[in-house]
Amino acid sequence: MGKGRPRAVEKGVPGHSSAVSSSGALNIPQAPVFYPTEEEFKDPLEFIYKIRPEAEPYGICRIVPPKSWKPPFALDLESFTFPTKTQAIHQLQARVAACDPKTFELEYNRFLEYHSGKRQKKRVVFEGEELDLCKLFNAVKRYGGYDKVVKEKKWAEVFRFVRSVGKISECSKHVLCQLYREHLYDYEVYHSQSNHDKSVKRYKKGICGNGKSIQGSVVSSSKKRRRNSGGERTKVGTLEKQDDLDQICEQCRSGLHGEVMLLCDRCNKGWHIYCLSPPLKKVPPGNWYCLECVNSDKDSFGFVPGKHFSLDAFRRLADRAKRKWFGSACVSRLQIEKRFWEIVEGSVGEVEVLYGSDLDTSIYGSGFPRVNDPRPTSVEVEVWNEYCASPWNLNNLPKLQGSVLRAVHHNIAGVMVPWLYIGMLFSSFCWHFEDHCFYSMNYLHWGEPKCWYSVPGSEAHSFEQVMKNCLPDLFDAQPDLLFQLVTMLNPSVLQENGVPVYSVLQEPGNFVITFPRSYHGGFNFGLNCAEAVNFAPADWLPHGGFGAELYRSYHKAAVLSHEELLYVVAKGDCGSKVSPFLKKELLRVFSKEKTWRERLWRDGIICTSPMTPRRHPEYVGTEEDPSCIICQQYLFLSAVVCSCRPSAFVCLEHWEHLCECSPSKHRLLYRHTLAELNDLVLMLDKCNLEESPQNRTIRKHLPSSNESNSVMKKIRGGHATHVQLAEQWVLNSHKILQAPFSSAAYVNALKDAEQFLWGGSEMDQVRNMAKNLIEARKWAEEVINCLSKVETCLHHCKNDIGKVSLGFVENLLNYDPLPCNEPGYFKLKAYAEDARILVGEIESALSISSHVSIAHLGKLYSRASELPVYVEESTKLAGEISSAKVWSESVRQCITEKRSAAVDIDVLYKLKSEMLELRVELPETELLLDLLRNMESWQIRCSEILKGPISLKELEVLLQELNHFSICVPELKLLRQYHNDAVTWISHFHDFIVNARGREDQKCVVQELTCILEAGKLLRVQVDELPFVEEELKKACCREKALQACATKMPLDFIEEVIAEAVMLQIDNENIFVDVSRVLAAASSWEERSKHILGSKAQMSEFEDAIRISGTIFAILPSLNDIEHALSMAKSWISNSQPFLLSSLSAGQASSSSLKVDALKDLVAQSKFLKVDLQEPAMLLNLLNDCEAWQNDACTLLECTTALYSTQNIDIGVVNDLTVKIEKLLTGIKSATTAGLSLGFDFYEIPKLQNTSCILQWCLKAFSFCSGAPLLEDVERLMKDSENLCATFASSCLGSVLIKGARWLWEALSVFPHSSTQRRCKLSDVEEVLEETQRIEVPFPIVAARLVNAIEKHKSWQEQVHAFFNSKFGEQSWSVLVQLKELGESNAFSCPELDLVASEINKVENWFLRCKNIIGPLVYGVNPLLNALIKIKHTLDGSLYIYGNSKNCEEKAFCACCCSDVKEESIACVTCKDCYHPSCLISTDSNTSAAKEAICPFCLFMESGTVPRNGDIPLISKGKRPELNMLIELSNAAKDLHLRIDEKDMIQQLVEKALACKACLSEIVDSALAHSDKDLRSITEKLLIALKAVSMAGIYDKHGSCNLELAIERNKWKIRVKKLLENSQKPLIQQIHRLWKEGLAISIPSEDQFMKKLVEVKSIGMIWADRAKKVAMDSGALGLDKVFKLITEGENLPVYFEKELKLLRARSALHCICRKPYDQRAMIACNRCDEWYHFDCVNLHPPPPKTYLCPACEPCSEEAMPLSAVTKYEERLNGFNDGGPRTPPPRLAILRKRNPKKVRSNLQRKILVASDLSDILRCSSEIDYLWWRNRKPLRRTARKRARLDSLSSFLHI
């Protein structure tokens, strides 16, 4: 198992074991198909709910919509492009696991070191290249192991794994088998045992400070130590770098909980066992590797991205691929399926295809219509809108009424938003079930079918087990393989293992539904386009809960939060169908949440907080919840967080894995209380008014509020329930409310309430009280703050900023009753009363009835400013004063004469209205009123002028009078504007008319004059120039028309009209009008000539001259179109007549063109209407007469043929006459057809003649069968040709007779047994066919005679069969039965006798086949099966002889290894004294090749447990031997055989002898397992006999062999225990512990004396070891005398503790010049001699020097040592008495100087720092003594020491 990291793809290995074989013809049952009616099809969810009971047991179904449902395909096929993925189909099953060779090599070498003490050095070469042992091991593992591969001969399949290319020869398979046996067989046995046998597992070791791996050693309490990649121990660095070496989990990024941290034995990365996917319950034994080290990137497998394709390019690629596999012929479903699974199983070769899968329709577009998509022009609007809103449109399905996914807000690709799939041949979707166990719906838009396979959800567990058993290496490499959608397995394999599988073939326009938890997969038959989406009706909810728990168990991130979905659906409008499922699922979630919250409370997590509420709680997914760092699930309902990791959240189940802080520091976050969740469940009950048994059951299971009373935990002074503590808290809170307000008391109370707020309805009083406390605290704090602000403003504030408003104060004072007892309330009330009095005065002054002076208002405002409470009325007062001042200033500005512009009238009226609103008396009021009266008088006069017509002169006089008026009156302003417009218009007209007449652009002149005229009419002032403007406009329009006639050809009528208008306006003498008159005269002359030509048939040249002359006249001529049409019609007729004219000239020759007779007739008719004189019409009339004559001849031939069809009463003579007539008619038809074709016309009679010729030829062929015996193939071709004959002939007398006769002929030839139809008919059917000859009107005498002969042969064969089966038992011969079978296959019709013979033969052949399969490799030679059985009988005789129970075997010497006679060259085993061949023994003398003393393999196995592989002795294992139970089944099956067979009797003898051997073995094993004596020799001898006998026997008894193996293992274990305990050398505790573990693994009874002795020795040793560890870490607390005593006890133990003794000896070492053991004082190591010294003993101060040399290595002068230091040293030396061995005094005369060592670098020097620094000591007189003492042998062995805080930490490292 590895760490659970999510993987985009799985990395892979080839096909599986014997179970994964080619299925041949798949026999998969079909899933149901439903055909909904129009009414049923209206609601998809209702229809699916209706069919679910019938369809869900299949896991899948197909729905065929009504014929009226034909949605248009919405995508543009021309512009649509999409990405693809490359699928290696040959590796979907047949691929090797992605094994990392380095990891395999590391584990393999560890195995070699453990067993043989050496690593693999040389490369293993196979076929000239290095053999990948990792791939070879996994390949053999896939096929069930070495023994199974050998038995089933699977080395060819293994070869394909190892060498993907190359030829497989028998030699290659044999070499590969030998290499595996030599290098990997032992490793396979070890690997298998390490996974299943606890006795050989090695538990993961910690690494202690001195670098030795031992069990039970003292390791760091928070981490496991690591090894580097080479297996060497890492060194510990300084304290500053210690954090960098801390191991963190690669999943949750935490370094805590080191005791369950699992380290990879290769890369040293760590994972908590609970963070893996799936998680582990305990640290696994043996070596462990993470997925990154197990899997190889080189061999990784997945669907890699491919190219982008347009649909047309992908279509060409798909068509090319299908032609490559199947050509252009039609191919069946069976052929495609068979070839696909052959590719998947790796037997075809490498095959890669492309698949446009998982295309997000929101990006690439949907195949269904959508409202916002562009509508194709070929689709009508009504049809588009209909299918846009259709509930079967997959874009609408997830959010239909009744689907719980309606509540999901965001669009999840593939779930809420459909995915599009563009497939080609063999593109696959592998085994999987949907996310969250959703339903899925797939619609095939167009293309080839899609093949589906499904396993029902009820069989999902069985499916997963079969997958794991069939693909063990893939699941070992990736436990979550089924989540990756990259693996297939043949459905027939699943069927063979008892898993039901069903199939569906999805056609275009069909829907496929998959049900929750149903595994499904499949592939495409060719190019197609499908679309799929998930949906979730009400009955999905329980499955959704299972899916959520599955994600949690595998630590996979979910698509959405299941709890949030339940909550939102329950809060919404759920229907009656949803309610039962929703209630049940909510109850489950509620119970789980309640249980975990109560458990957290019991464990000490009392700090809680509600989560931030949702902004949009009515939808799922509007806000993303945090996810658990362990299981990756969304935390909607609750979470746990700690202050040490504020960004990390865990679910309630994993709260213990968050950190190592105490539970009191953890905080529970919850979104809803249990009461709210409980109310939600009850609310669903109320919504569903019907009281069903299910509702009553759910209500019974709802936890009541009183159940929380049982939640109890320990508190001070006893135990208390959750409710009791809550009630006590409520009482305390009442006291707090009554006491004077204290913020700290409220904070503490609310903090204590957190542990109750999440609870159920029993905590409502706590929540209410907490709410009261919060409100009371808020009120009291606001009162205090308000009073503080009021008092501050009273003394310091001079404006309203910072004041408290009176309204806010009154809100605080209006609480009734008061929330709590706050003394400041009464002070605040007094200030509010003063403010109310002032407010009353201000309101009185500002009332409507009062008119006060502005000075009085100013006084009131001053008082309000001095008040400490802000009143809103003061703002009104200030506004009133400000408004009065602004109004007075505005009036003064209007009256003054110095203003810059006229005063607007609206300004005066506004000032007047403001004056009325002011409540203040002001002097400017009268001035404003006078100004308004003057303005109104002038306004009345201007209004009267505007009412009537305005004269220009009167208007100018009025404006002169008002020239100096200063008020802007609207009427006056309007008069001035009218005057200005009139003057401007008159000026503009006079300026324009000066040059208008001579201009050439008269069109512009007309436009401008028109505009001037329109403008003049709109003037309000009367002007005199308007009539003159109108006359000028008419002349300009006439000139414009004349210019137009000169510039463009115009009709004659238009030109005549222009000349007449010019004459009327008296302007016809102008030049332009003279030119127009000339054009008019020429046009009139041409018109007269044209009418003459059209009236009489003229030549074509006259028409052409008239058209030429018309080009010189610049006018539109009315008759010109008639002239041109007549000429064009003549030319067109001549052009159409050319093919017919050419045909008439080439008469008598066959023409390739096909002319129509009707077209010729039309041309002749059209020639009568031509207005041009031509000669061709007469020629066409002659040709038409010839065609009509030929048609008359053809009709005559067809009438003769029709008469022939009515012929009746056909016999042999009539057949001959008809044959002559038909041949004559065929000759006439042939000549007529040739003549008709030569005319070159498409006569409708020609096809009739050709069809008649085909019918007559068919009749000739049918008549030819009457005089012979045709082949069945010829008759079938005749029948096939008859399908193409016309219905007229088939319904005629001759046609019906001949067709009926041909049909009988086909039936007669089909019933013969040897016919190619592969179908046998019954005798009755044959007789019916023979009787049919009397009813057919066409005679077939030869075929009828053959039928009679066949019936006689069949009856004769039946008589022979009856005679055989009626004979006696002994007379039935196998050869006769085979001969009967062969005769029946050639002569017999379908009958019971044929089945009886086939059944008997199949029964015998199947029994023989079973025999050969069971006997296996022993079958060889002339009579292979019988020889093999005789050989097995010989081995059983030998086995019984060894047991001593043989009754039929003579005494003789034979080899127990090879079961053959022993002759003179035999050698006796030195242990058991039995005789063996020299090649079967192992020499005890390695120096001689032919040693006289040797040991047999059985004795060697009993002593060491190993067997040499050169002899290939199976010993206890099965090997190639048949199993006993299979032989017994074979013997029982032989009793049903009615033939006498020698092999049957031999097998019965084998079973009897094998049972006798089994009885002997059981007796020995039972006595061995019950043996309890210390003397093991007798039982060992018996087990050796049994081992020899079992090895000798040629039949394998699995139960007996397992019992024997257990007995031998127990016996060997007892022998090892005895040797270990009785050995002169003390055993290690590890050896004791390992033997104890092995004894437990093989179930040694606890009362066994060897087990008792082992446990006793282990217990004594572990007690001493625990004491030694404590003493080694006590920092010198225990005296040295007791330490030495403890060492002596350890040396006298029966067990040897190497490490503990070393630690104790190190603990007793003495240091420094004071010669004391290590204590807590600061010490430093010398860089030369590595001895340790206390700082105070060598006169050092911190910080320590970079390089330090002790006085012994660098002696100092005597003068440098102060006297006080010498005194202290002597006192310390005299007082030192540690009870240890004393060191003799130094000899001062002889000073031995040590060679100086290299000074170590600063990074290597190790310094020990402590907190207490003593006095400094330096003593020059004792330098030589110190130098000598430092050379003592008791110095510690450690070279350098880490910088640590205490000795305890030092010992832990």
Side-chain angles (χ1 to χ4, degrees), residues 126-138:
F126 175 61
E127 294 188 343
E129 298 180 6
E130 183 178 0
L131 179 62
D132 191 337
L133 295 180
C134 177
K135 281 187 177 180
L136 178 59
F137 178 75
N138 278 322

Side-chain angles (χ1 to χ4, degrees), residues 609-630:
S609 298
M611 295 181 179
T612 306
R614 291 267 200 256
R615 289 192 294 271
H616 300 284
E618 67 275 11
Y619 291 109
V620 176
T622 55
E623 302 172 36
E624 187 170 355
D625 292 314
S627 56
C628 175
I629 62 174
I630 305 300

Side-chain angles (χ1 to χ4, degrees), residues 165 219 642 728 757 765 1168 1247 1539 1544 1834:
V165 295
V219 297
C642 183
Q728 183 63 41
L757 298 179
Q765 57 178 346
K1168 299 176 182 180
L1539 303 178
K1544 183 172 64 172
L1834 292 178

Side-chain angles (χ1 to χ4, degrees), residues 10-13 96-101 132 135 296-301:
E10 188 269 342
K11 322 242 174 187
V13 233
V96 288
C99 175
D100 193 319
D132 191 337
K135 281 187 177 180
S296 168
D297 292 335
K298 177 182 177 182
D299 296 326
S300 63
F301 176 73

Side-chain angles (χ1 to χ4, degrees), residues 594 597-602 605-606 608 668 674 705-715 719-730 752-760 762-763 765-767:
K594 180 175 182 294
R597 289 189 187 183
E598 291 172 352
R599 185 179 300 179
L600 264 62
W601 177 77
R602 284 197 300 267
I605 300 180
I606 59 176
T608 65
L668 169 66
L674 293 180
S705 301
N706 296 330
E707 289 184 9
S708 297
N709 295 335
S710 60
V711 183
M712 183 179 295
K713 74 173 181 179
K714 186 177 181 181
I715 60 174
H719 292 77
T721 64
H722 199 203
V723 175
Q724 290 173 346
L725 292 178
E727 292 173 350
Q728 183 63 41
W729 180 87
V730 172
D752 293 340
E754 291 180 359
Q755 60 180 313
F756 310 112
L757 298 179
W758 52 262
E762 72 279 357
M763 295 300 165
Q765 57 178 346
V766 176
R767 285 188 280 269

Side-chain angles (χ1 to χ4, degrees), residues 1238-1311:
S1238 65
L1239 288 174
F1241 281 84
D1242 185 13
F1243 295 108
Y1244 71 90
E1245 292 84 356
I1246 292 179
K1248 289 184 177 181
L1249 291 174
Q1250 292 173 342
N1251 187 27
T1252 302
S1253 177
C1254 293
I1255 293 174
L1256 295 177
Q1257 289 176 1
W1258 184 86
C1259 292
L1260 282 178
K1261 187 175 181 180
F1263 285 139
S1264 67
F1265 291 162
C1266 294
S1267 58
L1271 297 177
L1272 179 63
E1273 291 79 5
D1274 295 337
V1275 178
E1276 288 177 345
R1277 281 195 293 270
L1278 184 69
M1279 291 296 298
K1280 188 174 182 181
D1281 293 340
S1282 67
E1283 296 174 359
N1284 300 325
L1285 300 178
C1286 65
T1288 305
F1289 171 75
S1291 60
S1292 65
C1293 294
L1294 180 63
S1296 59
V1297 167
L1298 289 179
I1299 292 174
K1300 187 184 297 184
R1303 188 178 295 113
W1304 178 90
L1305 187 61
W1306 176 81
E1307 291 178 356
L1309 295 176
S1310 299
V1311 299

Side-chain angles (χ1 to χ4, degrees), residues 1409-1678:
L1409 182 62
R1410 287 182 61 187
C1411 289
K1412 293 178 181 178
N1413 291 336
I1414 292 172
I1415 303 305
L1418 299 176
V1419 179
Y1420 60 90
V1422 178
N1423 193 356
L1425 182 59
L1426 188 60
N1427 290 337
L1429 294 175
I1430 293 173
K1431 183 177 180 181
I1432 294 175
K1433 179 177 178 294
H1434 179 63
T1435 60
L1436 291 176
D1437 292 338
S1439 179
L1440 288 173
Y1441 178 79
I1442 293 175
Y1443 282 125
N1445 294 331
S1446 176
K1447 298 178 181 179
N1448 301 322
C1449 297
E1450 299 178 0
E1451 269 192 42
K1452 60 178 180 178
F1454 61 90
C1455 177
C1457 284
C1458 57
C1459 194
S1460 59
D1461 295 339
V1462 178
K1463 299 179 181 179
E1464 292 77 8
E1465 67 273 10
S1466 63
I1467 300 177
C1469 174
V1470 297
T1471 305
C1472 63
K1473 308 304 181 182
D1474 287 343
C1475 295
Y1476 298 89
H1477 294 115
S1479 59
C1480 296
L1481 297 184
I1482 297 90
S1483 175
T1484 58
D1485 187 359
S1486 59
N1487 297 325
T1488 61
S1489 58
K1492 295 300 183 181
E1493 294 185 355
I1495 184 171
C1496 67
F1498 307 101
C1499 296
L1500 181 63
F1501 179 77
M1502 294 296 294
E1503 292 178 3
S1504 62
T1506 59
V1507 179
R1509 294 299 167 199
N1510 57 347
D1512 194 21
I1513 301 173
L1515 295 186
I1516 302 177
S1517 63
K1518 178 184 177 183
K1520 302 176 182 178
R1521 297 179 291 178
E1523 294 188 16
L1524 175 60
N1525 55 351
M1526 299 179 72
L1527 283 178
I1528 293 174
E1529 293 176 2
L1530 198 62
S1531 176
N1532 295 332
K1535 295 177 182 178
D1536 298 333
L1537 300 180
H1538 298 292
L1539 303 178
R1540 182 172 182 84
I1541 305 172
D1542 296 338
E1543 289 82 351
K1544 183 172 64 172
D1545 299 334
M1546 182 60 69
I1547 286 179
Q1548 182 62 35
Q1549 296 179 22
L1550 293 180
V1551 170
E1552 294 174 357
K1553 290 181 179 293
L1555 290 176
C1557 292
K1558 182 176 182 179
C1560 298
L1561 177 63
S1562 299
E1563 181 181 354
I1564 295 175
V1565 170
D1566 293 343
S1567 63
L1569 293 176
H1571 184 75
S1572 60
D1573 194 4
K1574 289 184 179 181
D1575 187 7
L1576 302 175
R1577 287 178 296 177
S1578 61
I1579 201 64
T1580 302
E1581 292 175 357
K1582 291 183 179 180
L1583 290 175
L1584 181 60
I1585 291 173
L1587 180 61
K1588 292 180 181 180
V1590 169
S1591 176
M1592 170 71 70
I1595 296 178
Y1596 175 69
D1597 177 19
K1598 183 177 181 181
H1599 182 264
S1601 298
C1602 292
N1603 290 339
L1604 175 61
E1605 186 177 1
L1606 178 62
I1608 292 174
E1609 286 296 327
R1610 286 189 181 183
N1611 188 66
K1612 289 195 294 185
W1613 180 85
K1614 292 177 182 180
I1615 293 173
R1616 292 202 306 273
V1617 172
K1618 185 176 182 181
K1619 287 183 180 179
L1620 186 68
L1621 296 179
E1622 295 177 358
N1623 196 0
S1624 60
Q1625 186 178 359
K1626 290 183 180 180
L1628 296 175
I1629 188 62
Q1630 290 84 356
Q1631 296 174 317
I1632 298 293
H1633 188 74
R1634 184 166 58 250
L1635 280 176
W1636 175 69
K1637 279 284 192 180
E1638 292 176 0
L1640 293 179
I1642 58 178
S1643 303
I1644 299 294
S1646 58
E1647 61 272 10
D1648 185 82
Q1649 58 180 345
F1650 293 99
M1651 178 61 83
K1652 287 182 179 179
K1653 182 63 175 176
L1654 205 63
V1655 171
E1656 180 184 355
V1657 173
K1658 176 177 175 291
S1659 177
I1660 294 172
M1662 295 309 295
I1663 292 173
W1664 180 87
D1666 291 339
R1667 290 175 57 200
K1669 292 172 187 175
K1670 293 178 181 178
V1671 171
M1673 294 186 295
D1674 66 354
S1675 301
L1678 189 68

